[in-house]
């Protein structure tokens, strides 16, 4: 699979057509027809790219894009029939990566998707100890070659910890990093995310531990094998 694409489009036939073309080109495609459903879906599934229609029931594409940008850098291609909105769609205050105007060829949409993913894919990734790779542009983490299939929140938590191996963070510091929209959550929410992260890391490579509890303080990142080999080296940044 080349990545998971979220299609937010209320014209069911058009959404199905785009989905078919994307699947034929090796992508996984998911469709939503209401703008109210888009942000929670992005939070929970961390897609590789979002095809976002401007005019949607429930909530328009501009508002959806703005909220997604509060917590995610996922590439967004806006779809519109309103040419006069193009400058606004690509404005810095919105954060869309590209746009496409209706009517269009599904092949053109697939080409745009590939181009945007190729462009963001050339951005930096973090590699830690040669085993863990974090690709921020796609919110994708791999361990020993296995995709950990993290949610957006889980990815941000792992990325933040891995950026400074060995440094200990308390729960409040971690919450401040992954919930920058100032929502109210319990500090035990972090414990829940850590538990899920450890489970996915163990599934990716049962011989490795990455996140360690520091009793009475919080958590830290450190590469530790089951045989005891440990590294707190600063992760290497590569292109």
């Amino acid at each position: 699979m080349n990545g998971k694409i979220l299609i937010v489009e209320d014209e069911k036939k058009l959404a199905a057509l785009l989905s078919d073309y994307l699947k034929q080109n090796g992508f996984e495609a998911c469709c939503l027809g209401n703008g109210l459903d888009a942000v929670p879906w992005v939070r929970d599934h961390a897609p590789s790219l979002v095809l976002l229609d401007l005019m949607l029931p429930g909530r328009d594409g501009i508002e959806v894009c703005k909220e997604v940008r509060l917590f995610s850098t996922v590439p967004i291609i806006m779809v519109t029939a309103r040419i006069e909105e193009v400058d606004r769609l690509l404005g810095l205050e919105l954060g869309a990566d590209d746009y496409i105007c209706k009517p269009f060829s599904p092949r053109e949409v697939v080409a745009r998707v590939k181009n945007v993913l190729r462009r963001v894919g050339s951005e930096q990734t973090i590699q830690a100890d040669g085993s863990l790779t974090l690709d921020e542009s796609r919110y994708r983490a791999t361990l020993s070659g296995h995709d950990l299939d993290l949610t957006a929140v889980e990815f941000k938590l792992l990325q933040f910890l891995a950026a400074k191996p060995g440094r200990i963070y308390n729960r409040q510091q971690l919450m401040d990093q992954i919930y920058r929209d100032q929502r109210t959550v319990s500090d035990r929410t972090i414990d829940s995310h850590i538990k899920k992260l450890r489970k996915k890391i163990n599934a990716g490579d049962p011989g490795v531990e990455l996140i360690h509890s520091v009793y009475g303080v919080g958590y830290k990142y450190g590469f530790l094998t089951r045989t005891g080999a440990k590294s707190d080296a600063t992760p290497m940044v590569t292109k």
Side-chain angles (χ1 to χ4, degrees):
M1 284 289 180
N2 291 325
K4 184 187 300 180
I5 310 299
L6 173 62
I7 303 167
V8 190
E9 169 61 65
D10 62 322
E11 295 182 41
K12 292 183 179 180
K13 290 184 178 180
L14 178 57
L17 181 62
L18 292 174
S19 176
D20 288 343
Y21 269 81
L22 287 165
K23 289 176 180 178
Q24 290 170 14
N25 282 269
F27 294 97
E28 178 184 352
C30 303
C31 300
L32 295 175
N34 192 301
L36 292 173
D37 300 325
V39 173
W41 201 99
V42 173
R43 284 189 187 278
D44 292 341
H45 297 88
S48 301
L49 183 143
V50 180
L51 276 171
L52 181 60
D53 191 39
L54 178 64
M55 302 301 293
L56 293 166
R59 194 175 192 188
D60 69 39
I62 287 178
E63 292 304 313
V64 170
C65 186
K66 286 181 178 179
E67 184 167 349
V68 168
R69 280 292 172 260
L70 293 175
F71 66 88
S72 175
T73 60
V74 61
I76 297 175
I77 299 179
M78 300 294 296
V79 179
T80 180
R82 294 163 56 179
I83 304 300
E84 68 275 9
E85 289 282 358
V86 167
D87 287 341
R88 187 180 180 197
L89 295 181
L90 295 182
L92 294 177
E93 76 282 1
L94 183 58
D97 295 89
D98 199 359
Y99 73 93
I100 189 165
C101 293
K102 296 179 179 179
F104 51 72
S105 161
R107 291 187 178 88
E108 180 185 0
V109 175
V110 173
R112 294 287 190 95
V113 167
K114 290 180 177 179
N115 285 341
V116 170
L117 289 177
R118 187 159 46 243
R119 185 171 74 239
V120 299
S122 66
E123 296 174 356
Q124 292 180 337
T125 62
I126 297 175
Q127 291 187 326
D129 302 283
S131 181
L132 175 68
T133 299
L134 302 174
D135 184 347
E136 183 177 7
S137 64
R138 301 182 185 181
Y139 274 50
R140 184 170 182 256
T142 58
L143 179 62
S144 302
H146 299 283
D147 190 341
L148 297 183
D149 194 25
L150 304 183
T151 65
V153 168
E154 290 166 353
F155 179 90
K156 287 195 294 183
L157 180 57
L158 180 58
Q159 181 188 41
F160 182 65
L161 287 167
K164 293 187 177 180
R167 178 170 175 176
I168 302 169
Y169 295 96
N170 61 39
R171 293 181 180 87
Q172 187 60 53
Q173 289 171 317
L174 295 175
M175 283 194 296
D176 289 344
Q177 284 297 317
I178 65 175
Y179 292 117
R180 294 186 177 183
D181 54 359
Q182 305 300 314
R183 74 177 73 179
T184 301
V185 294
S186 164
D187 60 358
R188 293 300 171 182
T189 301
I190 293 296
D191 296 340
S192 177
H193 289 315
I194 293 289
K195 182 178 180 180
K196 292 175 182 177
L197 258 177
R198 284 173 168 163
K199 184 176 181 180
K200 292 181 179 181
I201 288 167
N202 185 66
D205 188 340
V208 169
E209 292 181 18
L210 297 180
I211 300 176
H212 310 280
S213 301
V214 180
Y215 183 75
V217 183
Y219 298 98
K220 69 175 182 176
Y221 174 92
F223 192 90
L224 178 67
T225 66
R226 301 299 184 191
T227 58
K230 184 178 181 181
S231 172
D232 282 337
T234 301
M236 177 177 60
V237 178
T238 62
K239 288 188 176 181

